[in-house]
Amino acid sequence: MTSLSLPIVRRRLIQLSAHLVVAVVALVVIGGATRVMEAGLACPDWPLCYGTLLPGKQMNAQVFLEWFHRLDAFIVGMALLVQAIVSVVWRRLLPRWMPWLSLALVGMVALQGGLGALTVLQLLPSGIVTAHLVLALTLVALLSGLTQRLQQSSGVSAPFWWRGLSLLALAAVIGQSLLGARMATTWSAQRCLSGGDACQWVSLHRTTAMPVAGVVLLFVVVALLAGGWARRQWPLLGFVAALVLGQVALGITTFRLGLSQPYVTISHQLLAALLVAVLAALAARCPDQSPAHSPVVVDGTTLETCHG
C-alpha cells in the first residue's frame, strides 16, 4: 500500500508527525546546549522570561537559548494537540491506536512542560532535569515509530528477532543517555577532571558505552546477515552503525578535550537523539506485503523516518 492510496488525512498526519520528530530532536539538542552553556536559569521565571514573551532588553546568547527552547516546546505542544484533534475527529480513517497514542503524546508533552517549569523554579535539580531528558527521548522514539507505522499497512509483522533486537538496542541507547544525563546534571565529569570527585558516574557511563554500542551493532550485523527484507533496510542500518561509531568517537574526544569544547558535547547529544529516532523507526517497520514493493512515497518524495 503506497501512501498515495491512503486517505489524505493520514498522509497529512504522516507529514506532521515526521516534522515533529525533527522538532523534538531539535528540542533535545537545544536543551542540551542550554545546559552546556549554563543557560538553564537565564530566564529566572516561568512560563514567561523576565515577565514578558520576548525579553528584548535582557536578550543575550544564554537568554536566547533558554527562550528559544521554550518556544520550540510550545510549538511542539500545539502541533501535538492539532494531531490529537485530527486523529479523534477522523478516527474512522486511521488505525485504531492512532487517537489513543495521539492523546497520550499530548499528556506526555504537558508533563514535559511541568518538568520544565520545575527545572527552573527549583533551580535545576538533577533528578528533574534527567527525567526531563528521558521523557524527551521517549517522545522522539514514539513519534518516530508512529510516523513509520502510519506509512505502512498492518498486514505483515516483522520477524520476532527483528523486533526483539531493535527494541533491546533502543532501550540500551536510552539507558545510556540516562546515565549521560545524570552525569551531566550533577556536573560529575567536570568535578572528576578537576578534583577527582564524583567519578563514579563518569566511570559507569564510560564502562557501559562499549556494551551498548555492541548491542546496537549486533542488531545491524544480524539484520544484514539475515538477508531478505531485513537486509533491504541497509540504508537505515548503515546510518545506525555510522551514528554509533560517531558517538564513540565524540565521547572519547569530549573527555580528551576536558569538556572544553561545548560544540563537541552538543554534537554528542544530537547523535544520541538521532540514534533513538532511527532505532525506533526500525523497530516499528514491517515487511511489505509484496517483496518487490516500492518504498512509501508521500507527495512524490521518499519520506524516511527522520524527515529533514
Side-chain angles (χ1 to χ4, degrees), residues 258-279:
L259 306 175
S260 61
Q261 298 297 322
Y263 293 114
V264 177
T265 305
I266 295 169
S267 298
H268 195 52
Q269 295 167 340
L270 170 61
L271 264 61
L274 289 175
L275 194 54
V276 168
V278 180
L279 283 172

Side-chain angles (χ1 to χ4, degrees), residues 216-231:
V216 178
L217 292 176
L218 175 64
F219 165 58
V220 172
V221 171
V222 170
L224 292 175
L225 292 177
W229 169 81
R231 183 178 294 172

Side-chain angles (χ1 to χ4, degrees), residues 7 12 16 37 50 79 110-111 131 136 147 153 162 173 175 214 217 221 231-232 253 258-259 265 291 306:
R12 293 294 176 257
L16 176 60
M37 301 302 292
Y50 289 96
L111 176 60
T147 305
S153 62
W162 173 279
V173 170
L217 292 176
V221 171
R231 183 178 294 172
R232 289 199 296 276
T253 304
L259 306 175
T265 305
C306 294

Side-chain angles (χ1 to χ4, degrees), residues 183-293:
M183 181 184 71
T185 55
T186 56
W187 302 99
S188 297
Q190 290 85 344
R191 291 159 60 193
C192 182
L193 290 174
S194 61
D197 185 28
C199 292
Q200 67 272 16
W201 287 110
V202 179
S203 177
L204 183 60
H205 186 63
R206 296 177 67 178
T207 301
T208 55
M210 296 313 295
V212 169
V215 168
V216 178
L217 292 176
L218 175 64
F219 165 58
V220 172
V221 171
V222 170
L224 292 175
L225 292 177
W229 169 81
R231 183 178 294 172
R232 289 199 296 276
Q233 311 310 308
W234 66 265
L236 282 184
L237 292 170
F239 188 36
V240 165
L243 286 173
V244 169
L245 296 177
Q247 273 294 77
V248 172
L250 284 173
I252 295 172
T253 304
T254 298
F255 279 99
R256 287 192 173 180
L257 293 176
L259 306 175
S260 61
Q261 298 297 322
Y263 293 114
V264 177
T265 305
I266 295 169
S267 298
H268 195 52
Q269 295 167 340
L270 170 61
L271 264 61
L274 289 175
L275 194 54
V276 168
V278 180
L279 283 172
L282 287 168
R285 281 203 163 186
C286 295
D288 298 322
Q289 290 182 343
S290 171
H293 203 284

Side-chain angles (χ1 to χ4, degrees), residues 2 21-22 44 60 83 102 104 135 153 169 171 180 216 264-265 283 285:
T2 65
V21 174
V22 178
N60 55 34
Q83 178 178 268
S102 297
L135 187 55
S153 62
V216 178
V264 177
T265 305
R285 281 203 163 186

Side-chain angles (χ1 to χ4, degrees), residues 38 92 155 169 207:
E38 300 184 11
R92 294 182 180 178
T207 301

